[in-house]
Amino acid sequence: GPKAALAAQAQACFDCWVERTSERAPAAYIRKCESEFIDHVRALKGLAPTRKKMQLVVLFQDKRARIPRPQFAMIKRAATLAKKSGAKTITVIARTPRPDSGDYEVRLALRRAAAVAKALEHQGVRSDRIRTLYLAESQGPAKSDRPTSRITSQRAEIVIH
């Protein structure tokens, strides 16, 4: 039933939290798993979620602005959450790996954010509710040769307010 589904989601979020912590993923990724786990546990207890702002991440392939097929599930989830929550604003944040990123990386990040915004529109989110924003990481990945570091810096974040 519904409680079993919530319990399964809580377990998946807990596993995500532990896995990302052990992999030393960026703090934002760890906090996302942790807060989703807490929200599922609160829901199991009949309590309201603890957060008002929701954040989802769309990962991209190296040097590409096209959304990888598996990431469309995240876009669909974001659109569903935005519509159900009655959110007034959905911000798509374009990210670059370093504050001193070159023009190419900035343009690529902005193209990624535009692709996510367009995909949200295709999922029924009104364009006047979507805005894009560019932010550089405060510091780049410690080692760019680590696969998880490269992957996590090639992303767009969807923030539902």
Side-chain angles (χ1 to χ4, degrees):
K3 284 214 177 219
L6 271 175
Q9 290 172 334
Q11 181 64 51
C13 292
F14 179 79
D15 292 344
C16 172
W17 180 18
V18 170
E19 184 177 309
R20 287 184 177 177
T21 300
S22 69
E23 291 175 349
R24 298 181 183 194
Y29 291 94
I30 295 169
R31 279 192 308 272
K32 178 184 176 298
C33 294
E34 177 187 14
S35 67
E36 286 184 0
F37 166 70
I38 291 168
D39 284 348
H40 288 304
V41 170
R42 289 179 62 83
L44 278 167
K45 292 180 177 181
L47 302 172
T50 57
R51 61 189 158 81
K52 297 199 188 264
K53 180 171 76 170
M54 295 170 268
Q55 184 171 348
L56 297 103
V57 177
V58 177
L59 299 175
F60 288 84
Q61 294 174 338
D62 195 25
K63 299 179 182 173
R64 304 248 167 128
R66 190 168 50 121
I67 301 170
R69 187 173 299 276
Q71 295 297 307
F72 278 100
M74 191 63 65
I75 302 282
K76 188 172 184 178
R77 181 174 178 213
T80 301
L81 288 171
K83 289 186 261 183
K84 282 185 179 179
S85 71
K88 293 184 177 156
T89 307
I90 296 90
T91 304
V92 180
I93 303 172
R95 292 283 189 175
T96 55
R98 301 178 304 283
D100 61 345
S101 294
D103 286 345
Y104 171 78
E105 289 175 328
V106 172
R107 286 194 316 269
L108 179 60
L110 290 170
R111 287 193 349 251
R112 288 173 173 163
V116 170
K118 187 172 185 166
L120 286 168
E121 286 179 42
H122 285 294
Q123 290 294 320
V125 178
R126 290 191 341 254
S127 62
D128 62 329
R129 294 175 56 203
I130 303 170
R131 67 183 183 120
T132 58
L133 174 69
Y134 164 74
L135 292 174
E137 295 292 339
S138 58
Q139 58 184 160
K143 291 184 178 179
S144 62
D145 60 337
R146 289 179 55 205
T148 55
S149 295
R150 284 199 336 262
I151 290 169
T152 57
S153 67
Q154 299 174 56
R155 70 186 193 277
E157 297 170 11
I158 303 169
V159 182
I160 302 167
H161 309 272

